[in-house]
Amino acid sequence: MAFLFKKIDSIILMINDFFDTIDQGTLIFKEGINNYLGNDKEDFSKNISRIGKLESKADTLKRQIINKVYVQSLLPQYRGDILRLLEKTDEILDKMKETLNQFDVEKPGITKDLHSEYIKLTESSVLSVESLIPALRAYFDDVGSVKDKVHRVYFYENEADQTGESLKRKIFKLKDLKLSEKQHLRFFAAHIENLSDYAKIVADIVAIASIQRII
Amino acid sequence: MILLFLSSGLFLGWSLGANDAANVFGTAVGSKMVSFKKAAFIAGFFVIVGSVVQGAGATRTLGDLGAVNAIAGSFTVALSAAFTVYWMTKLKIPVSTSQAIVGAIIGWNFYSGFQTNYHSLSKIVSTWVFGPVLGAIFSIIIILVIKISIKHSKINLLKLDQLIRIALILTGAFGAYSLGANNIANVVGVFVNAVSFKPLDLGIITLSGMQQIFLAGSIAIAIGIVTYSKRVMETVGTNIMHLSSESAIAVVLAHSLVLFIFSSQSLSNLFVNIGLPPIPLVPVSSSQVIIGAIIGIGLLKGGRGIQYKVLGEISLGWLLTPILAGVFAFFALFFMNNVFNQEVYKKADYSNVKKYPVPETVNNVIKANEDSILKAGLKSATAKIVRFDSSLKVDKKRTNFKNAMNSQKSGENKLKQKIKNQYYIILSLSILLFISLIGIYYLRIKYKNSTNLKE
């Protein structure tokens, strides 16, 4: 049987590698936020450099997968869905990289009493992205279990929304900050929170695509 | 000359290849799972193999219905069927070559005065109904098996895609084989009793006369596939059948099984051996079996989106196509016979007709005389003639001979009268048909306008 899948195996490996890259990106992002809040500049800059490399690797993998799928006329019925899934998933990593870069460039002055809230928000957002990866893998390997996996994404997205809202309320209740500073902090909270929204969008796409495959 | 007469059958074959290959490879090519070149090569090759190896069964049933025994008759019958298919396709009424050829054969039976074998006819007509129903049942069973296997195997999507691609090619090849085996009877079946070729030794295999005709017909089908089926395949794959690849496999496999069952002598023999009734070997409409199989998939999904109008149109086709082809064939045979002065049928062999045992009596009289001449030991020709003449003068023998001759004449007169009566019947039928066709044409135009308004 192996000779039948000779051409396919390399693409399967690339797809798995792509999801691994996104998964690693979420870990680096979480670490980066923690390092920024802990004022560990050296590690933070390492995080920025690593997420940049991962983002570029994911881009290359995505292009290679799409090229191979189209050139070899693979999955004619599903390649539209797959293309969207890869594009949108790659966007999540792009947003992570962009957010860390913004932390580096704009250096928001996050007060110590907000640290725990920011960490909680980051964890919820990162968990929603992390929960998405098994759902994406299931779309390729075990389509029936996709719906069992995407509900975790929705759960963490909801949690990130709530944490984000409470963080924003807390920011605007602070009396010793100027409005411009509050807006700056809110901007970063919104950026971290947005990652879970992106994860939710991809979860919606994979859920619909899996239903199309099952019917 | 034979090739010229075969041309109508070859044209039928070409149009069958151009249209029906899409039933086998349409979804695969339309969805770009299999390239057209690959599909055309596989379909062409297996159509030829199926026709030559397994084409005899369904052809025999058509022969039972009416054994067209003169080549000009075969040409006209095939041409009438081809014209019917062309005309009804132009009118956008679903049409099947199988039904057209059956109608045309019955038209030949009416014209030539041969009895239509109603047992064979009922066998053929019942298969037209059973074909799509069986297609639906098979497709439901196959898709359920495929879905359950995929669910339990948890195979990677890309590996599944690769397996589906291979399955589409294999089912397509089987479909093309079955199409050739079952539908070659439609294409050149009417020529089998009219043309006789000497067996052709190809070294590895020897092709009988019938197989040589099948080979010519199947090459015409293959040419139809290569030259004209690409557009039909792309249309079928993209516009009509919105099927997943798994459903496409189920549909094509169900179609192939139905066509195979109705053309396999070995399977029929197996049925008989295990005490079941034999399977009727009948050419069935490939397109209608495919529609049946798709409806099966639709029913499994809850019956949503099934266009029941299509079923009505198929039933209309069952009724209209044979009648139209029969009338066309009757008039075409009349023209061929009387205007072009071609023999469209060989006169009935009276020895097989129990009603008129005349020639046997005449032969007996002649034989008795010959015996008496031999017994008398006459040697010169004149003596023999005199003896023969004198023997005929014997009253008893003479009366017998006269009676025999009269009986023969009255037999011929009865046959002529019968043909005349049938001619009037057909004429009145054709007038009725003409009126009904005008009605259908009017309805179709009206229907077309109403759908345009809705759009």
Side-chain angles (χ1 to χ4, degrees):
Chain A
M1 283 291 267
F3 72 96
L4 290 176
F5 307 124
K6 213 177 168 184
K7 278 186 190 171
I8 306 300
D9 282 340
S10 66
I11 303 173
I12 295 173
L13 282 176
M14 276 197 274
I15 291 172
N16 284 330
D17 203 8
F18 176 79
F19 291 140
D20 289 344
T21 311
I22 306 292
D23 211 13
Q24 284 168 26
T26 59
L27 296 173
I28 302 291
F29 176 77
K30 199 171 135 185
E31 213 179 277
I33 298 289
N34 284 337
N35 285 333
Y36 179 81
L37 294 173
N39 206 20
D40 193 343
K41 286 176 186 167
E42 200 182 323
D43 283 349
F44 181 66
S45 60
K46 275 184 193 167
N47 293 141
I48 287 176
S49 146
R50 276 188 73 187
I51 206 164
K53 282 177 189 164
L54 287 173
E55 194 267 335
S56 134
K57 185 185 172 188
D59 266 348
T60 314
L61 281 169
K62 181 192 74 184
R63 274 196 295 273
Q64 282 178 343
I65 294 164
I66 292 168
N67 271 349
K68 285 213 170 188
V69 164
Y70 274 88
V71 168
Q72 293 180 21
S73 291
L74 301 173
L75 306 161
Q77 283 177 292
Y78 308 118
R79 61 185 171 211
D81 286 338
I82 292 169
L83 177 72
R84 273 183 76 204
L85 280 175
L86 296 181
E87 288 280 2
K88 292 286 175 188
T89 314
D90 188 43
E91 263 178 39
I92 298 176
L93 191 56
D94 288 351
K95 293 290 169 194
M96 286 178 183
K97 181 195 151 197
E98 199 184 310
T99 307
L100 281 192
N101 273 334
Q102 278 166 342
F103 268 97
D104 190 37
V105 173
E106 299 179 25
K107 295 194 173 49
I110 299 169
T111 51
K112 285 228 166 157
D113 49 343
L114 289 176
H115 279 195
S116 64
E117 296 286 330
Y118 268 99
I119 288 169
K120 201 179 165 193
L121 177 64
T122 306
E123 274 180 357
S124 300
S125 277
V126 163
L127 273 171
S128 69
V129 180
E130 280 176 353
S131 310
L132 177 70
I133 306 297
L136 289 170
R137 289 191 203 272
Y139 175 77
F140 289 92
D141 294 324
D142 179 15
V143 72
S145 68
V146 169
K147 72 174 188 322
D148 301 332
K149 293 187 166 77
V150 286
H151 77 95
R152 296 173 77 92
V153 180
Y154 298 133
F155 174 80
Y156 288 119
E157 188 270 335
N158 193 31
E159 206 170 79
D161 275 356
Q162 284 172 6
T163 317
E165 197 187 321
S166 104
L167 175 61
K168 283 174 212 161
R169 282 182 194 282
K170 211 169 175 182
I171 290 167
F172 282 94
K173 273 181 191 165
L174 291 172
K175 287 180 179 162
D176 47 350
L177 287 178
K178 287 189 272 183
L179 181 64
S180 59
E181 286 170 330
K182 287 177 184 175
Q183 282 180 330
H184 199 209
L185 294 184
R186 193 236 8 223
F187 173 78
F188 278 90
H191 265 283
I192 298 169
E193 192 190 323
N194 276 349
L195 292 178
S196 66
D197 292 332
Y198 281 112
K200 189 190 159 195
I201 291 169
V202 182
D204 286 337
I205 296 170
V206 78
I208 293 166
S210 68
I211 292 167
Q212 280 175 343
R213 268 195 65 196
I214 292 166
I215 288 175
Chain B
M1 195 64 180
I2 287 175
L3 261 181
L4 182 78
F5 280 125
L6 259 177
S7 61
S8 62
L10 298 182
F11 171 67
L12 254 183
W14 178 84
S15 73
L16 187 105
N19 283 303
D20 287 7
N23 295 335
V24 176
F25 272 114
T27 316
V29 172
S31 62
K32 311 258 188 274
M33 291 285 274
V34 180
S35 70
F36 172 73
K37 271 184 189 173
K38 200 185 273 180
F41 175 77
I42 295 167
F45 177 76
F46 281 97
V47 154
I48 293 173
V49 175
S51 306
V52 175
V53 174
Q54 206 178 296
T59 307
R60 207 171 299 126
T61 309
L62 275 194
D64 288 346
L65 181 71
V68 184
N69 56 10
I71 190 144
S74 307
F75 168 81
T76 316
V77 166
L79 191 70
S80 309
F83 180 71
T84 310
V85 170
Y86 167 76
W87 197 51
M88 287 187 74
T89 310
K90 239 189 150 187
L91 284 176
K92 291 182 178 166
I93 298 173
V95 64
S96 144
T97 316
S98 314
Q99 282 136 29
I101 204 80
V102 165
I105 289 173
I106 295 171
W108 180 85
N109 280 350
F110 270 95
Y111 186 79
S112 62
F114 278 82
Q115 281 279 316
T116 300
N117 186 338
Y118 289 102
H119 175 68
S120 289
L121 185 63
S122 63
K123 211 159 76 171
I124 291 168
V125 172
S126 60
T127 319
W128 291 346
V129 184
F130 281 127
V133 173
L134 215 55
I137 295 168
F138 282 164
S139 70
I140 290 172
I141 296 168
I142 296 164
I143 194 69
L144 283 175
V145 171
I146 292 175
K147 291 254 172 191
I148 292 166
S149 317
I150 291 174
K151 204 177 171 186
H152 288 281
S153 66
K154 289 184 182 171
I155 190 168
N156 183 281
L157 179 61
L158 283 136
K159 286 184 178 175
L160 179 67
D161 178 73
Q162 192 72 359
L163 286 179
I164 285 173
R165 227 167 262 261
I166 295 164
L168 276 172
I169 291 173
L170 291 178
T171 50
F174 179 42
Y177 176 89
S178 303
L179 183 72
N182 189 277
N183 276 206
I184 192 70
N186 297 334
V187 176
V188 286
V190 286
F191 292 91
V192 166
N193 292 306
V195 186
S196 60
F197 290 120
K198 281 177 190 165
L200 183 68
D201 190 4
L202 294 173
I204 315 159
I205 48 161
T206 305
L207 293 180
S208 67
M210 191 198 271
Q211 282 175 321
Q212 288 172 53
I213 298 171
F214 289 164
L215 181 68
S218 58
I219 288 171
I221 300 176
I223 292 171
I225 294 170
V226 173
T227 55
Y228 213 75
S229 68
K230 191 176 182 182
R231 243 176 32 191
V232 188
M233 281 188 190
E234 280 167 358
T235 311
V236 166
T238 52
N239 296 344
I240 300 167
M241 288 196 279
H242 293 290
L243 292 172
S244 66
S245 306
E246 295 92 328
S247 306
I249 293 171
V251 165
V252 176
L253 195 55
H255 152 272
S256 314
L257 281 171
V258 172
L259 261 66
F260 183 82
I261 285 170
F262 286 123
S263 54
S264 172
Q265 186 67 58
S266 327
L267 199 68
S268 179
N269 292 343
L270 187 77
F271 263 54
V272 175
N273 286 344
I274 56 171
L276 291 167
I279 303 167
L281 305 180
V282 175
V284 284
S285 164
S286 166
S287 308
Q288 288 175 9
V289 177
I290 279 281
I291 290 169
I294 294 171
I295 286 171
I297 302 277
L299 285 173
L300 197 67
K301 286 181 179 174
R304 291 183 303 274
I306 294 177
Q307 292 191 331
Y308 290 99
K309 201 184 78 186
V310 177
L311 292 178
E313 284 181 344
I314 290 175
S315 313
L316 184 74
W318 284 339
L319 194 74
L320 212 58
T321 315
I323 296 175
L324 208 60
V327 175
F328 281 153
F330 190 92
F331 286 113
L333 287 163
F334 178 81
F335 272 99
M336 200 60 159
N337 201 355
N338 298 300
V339 179
F340 297 105
N341 221 12
Q342 293 290 328
E343 187 189 36
V344 291
Y345 67 94
K346 285 183 180 132
K347 278 184 183 163
D349 180 0
Y350 292 109
S351 62
N352 290 335
V353 185
K354 282 177 187 167
K355 259 186 181 175
Y356 313 117
V358 185
E360 224 168 88
T361 324
V362 176
N363 282 340
N364 287 342
V365 172
I366 293 167
K367 204 169 177 287
N369 287 321
E370 281 173 347
D371 287 345
S372 67
I373 291 164
L374 284 173
K375 275 179 191 168
L378 297 171
K379 281 179 183 171
S380 76
T382 325
K384 281 180 188 173
I385 290 164
V386 170
R387 179 65 190 258
F388 191 77
D389 281 348
S390 66
S391 73
L392 283 179
K393 278 171 194 166
V394 177
D395 278 352
K396 207 180 169 185
K397 284 179 182 173
R398 198 173 177 179
T399 318
N400 277 348
F401 186 73
K402 264 191 173 180
N403 284 344
M405 293 306 288
N406 286 338
S407 154
Q408 186 181 10
K409 270 187 182 174
S410 78
E412 278 175 0
N413 286 338
K414 272 182 188 173
L415 198 63
K416 275 181 187 168
Q417 188 59 42
K418 206 177 165 190
I419 292 167
K420 213 174 175 183
N421 289 341
Q422 282 172 347
Y423 176 77
Y424 287 126
I425 292 166
I426 289 289
L427 197 67
S428 45
L429 262 178
S430 62
I431 292 165
L432 276 173
L433 191 73
F434 183 67
I435 295 164
S436 63
L437 277 179
I438 290 171
I440 290 164
Y441 198 58
Y442 167 75
L443 280 173
R444 286 202 72 83
I445 291 166
K446 203 180 167 186
Y447 167 75
K448 221 177 172 183
N449 289 341
S450 68
T451 43
N452 284 345
L453 280 173
K454 270 181 199 170
E455 279 166 7

